[in-house]
Amino acid sequence: MKNIRKIGVFTSGGDSPGMNAAIRSVVRTCAYLKVDCIGIYRGYQGMIEGDFKPMDARSVNNIIQKGGTILKSARCQEFRTKEGRQKAYDNLVREGIDAFVVIGGDGSFTGAMIFNQEFDFPVIGIPGTIDNDIFGTTYTLGFDTALNTVVEAIDKIRDTASSHNRLFFVEVMGRDVGHIALNAGVGAGAEEILIPEENLGRERLLESLKRSKESGKSSSIVIVAEGDKTGKNIFDLKDFVEEKLPDYDVRVSVLGHMQRGGSPSCYDRVLASRMGVKAVESLLEGKTNLMVGIQDNAIILTPINKAIKGHTKIDKELIRVSDIMSI
Ligand code: ADP
């Protein structure tokens, strides 16, 4: 078993709120356990360029509440090549780094797994993505914050929707999965929620909107996940509904990248703190190639290859709850 004295930490791929809280936790756990910690800037790109900075407990003052990532994030094509990974490895060895903690999504974990196989280099992953689409954890870092951001935005949209008796289609992030749409939709009281996992069909949507109007609702909100296939896209859906239900005044709002930003929720800060401690302790115990996750409020470890290959399932019960609520 390799003796671990210096741990690298970086954020990679799509950013999410809570990444800073996770960096802080990794750095402080290292300080607590008297292990050196090195921040690697811009993910695998910074690893290849040797963009390193020693971090101590005071380097991460005042960041727990900040969105984004102080270490920056990047996508790096060169790391997909053997030559690129060799350069990264040489830099880590030169710096004396014995292991790393990668905070990112499944792409970043795939890179870490390949790196581990090639160089027998110890790696542990912390899932940071707002999409909540990683197997082996009930919550990814940033998901809860993104839900709060979306719910707050939809509450505001509803104010104006109900003042004008309008129907709003609101697009939220989720190209492959509808976790944000479903949870925020129930939380914001949406009349319909359209997700990639289920295609209700356009006719059912019309029926539902008609029923809504007949039951006396003064406004309607339909949440559409980016990857939903009910229409070609959200604007196509708007045109279709306007054509079929001409007495509806329809508007579209695409929330976009605001969903990735903002101060992390308390839940995400606590989760990040717990995951960072577990990541460092696991490396020091000689564990590798694992992802930290949370299940039944316990911090657990899952083999990285399972986390990458496994699929998260949409909560069918929540779909049922949403149907009942939108009567
Ligand atoms: P995320 O981690 O959010 O899923 P990406 O899919 O963009 O984001 O992956 C982040 C980075 O991880 C990529 O830019 C690349 O450097 C690295 N990576 C992803 N897939 C691989 C792979 N198959 N081999 C090596 N590196 C990879």
Side-chain angles (χ1 to χ4, degrees):
M1 197 169 92
K2 199 165 158 186
N3 188 16
I4 308 237
R5 283 152 294 124
K6 202 183 259 191
I7 292 177
V9 59
F10 61 94
T11 48
S12 170
D15 64 319
S16 70
M19 281 185 160
N20 278 326
I23 295 167
R24 172 181 180 269
S25 173
V26 169
V27 171
R28 293 225 166 135
T29 307
C30 285
Y32 184 81
L33 297 171
K34 306 210 175 349
V35 180
D36 288 341
C37 188
I38 302 289
I40 302 168
Y41 282 89
R42 294 171 295 119
Y44 294 120
Q45 191 64 43
M47 202 183 280
I48 287 173
E49 292 170 17
D51 197 356
F52 302 145
K53 185 186 156 203
M55 315 271 284
D56 63 24
R58 298 286 73 78
S59 321
V60 287
N61 284 350
N62 253 321
I63 65 165
I64 193 169
Q65 77 281 20
K66 290 198 172 119
T69 154
I70 59 160
L71 291 177
K72 314 277 184 195
S73 191
R75 295 203 155 89
C76 172
Q77 280 308 322
E78 207 182 341
F79 197 77
R80 292 175 186 271
T81 66
K82 174 87 199 189
E83 297 73 36
R85 292 192 293 273
Q86 184 67 52
K87 272 194 220 167
Y89 179 72
D90 293 343
N91 284 333
L92 292 176
V93 171
R94 199 170 305 123
E95 188 71 28
I97 298 174
D98 304 306
F100 68 61
V101 177
V102 47
I103 307 165
D106 55 1
S108 304
F109 293 166
T110 306
M113 189 178 73
I114 293 170
F115 195 74
N116 168 268
Q117 283 159 0
E118 278 174 352
F119 302 104
D120 192 24
F121 195 88
V123 302
I124 296 269
I126 293 181
T129 164
I130 63 165
D131 293 328
N132 209 35
D133 58 349
I134 296 188
F135 180 83
T137 189
T138 317
Y139 284 92
T140 55
L141 278 186
F143 176 58
D144 183 66
T145 304
L147 290 183
N148 287 311
T149 302
V150 171
V151 163
E152 198 182 323
I154 297 172
D155 287 348
K156 288 176 179 158
I157 290 169
R158 191 181 287 283
D159 287 345
T160 167
S162 56
S163 304
H164 293 276
N165 286 352
R166 275 181 182 146
L167 162 63
F168 263 87
F169 283 104
V170 182
E171 186 184 277
V172 302
M173 281 187 171
R175 234 168 285 157
D176 306 307
V177 290
H179 298 299
I180 292 183
L182 182 57
N183 285 271
V186 171
E191 277 66 37
E192 275 293 338
I193 302 168
L194 307 180
I195 53 177
E197 291 87 343
E198 279 211 330
N199 190 346
L200 300 179
R202 300 197 301 183
E203 297 308 321
R204 233 214 74 177
L205 176 66
L206 287 183
E207 286 309 310
S208 160
L209 292 173
K210 274 190 214 154
R211 261 203 321 276
S212 242
K213 196 147 204 156
E214 282 159 17
S215 75
K217 284 192 182 174
S218 63
S219 68
S220 287
I221 305 271
V222 177
I223 312 282
V224 187
E226 264 176 314
D228 173 67
K229 303 286 184 305
T230 311
K232 274 190 219 113
N233 57 48
I234 197 166
F235 297 99
D236 168 67
L237 214 49
K238 169 190 188 286
D239 292 344
F240 171 75
V241 170
E242 272 184 333
E243 191 198 320
K244 299 285 180 186
L245 305 173
D247 51 336
Y248 258 114
D249 186 11
V250 191
R251 293 289 187 277
V252 166
S253 183
V254 177
L255 297 188
H257 282 80
M258 67 179 294
Q259 294 164 86
R260 286 221 184 144
S263 179
S265 65
C266 182
Y267 183 86
D268 276 327
R269 297 180 198 193
V270 174
L271 183 63
S273 304
R274 294 178 72 186
M275 285 179 164
V277 169
K278 185 72 172 180
V280 172
E281 285 178 347
S282 301
L283 283 173
L284 295 184
E285 286 163 13
K287 295 182 177 140
T288 179
N289 232 356
L290 298 163
M291 182 197 79
V292 182
I294 185 161
Q295 226 161 59
D296 301 329
N297 203 27
I299 299 295
I300 58 157
L301 296 165
T302 302
I304 275 196
N305 64 339
K306 276 200 183 164
I308 295 163
K309 291 201 189 105
H311 290 286
T312 54
K313 289 205 183 83
I314 204 76
D315 185 348
K316 296 263 187 215
E317 175 60 10
L318 205 48
I319 296 179
R320 202 175 74 84
V321 168
S322 163
D323 288 344
I324 295 171
M325 290 304 109
S326 59
I327 185 172

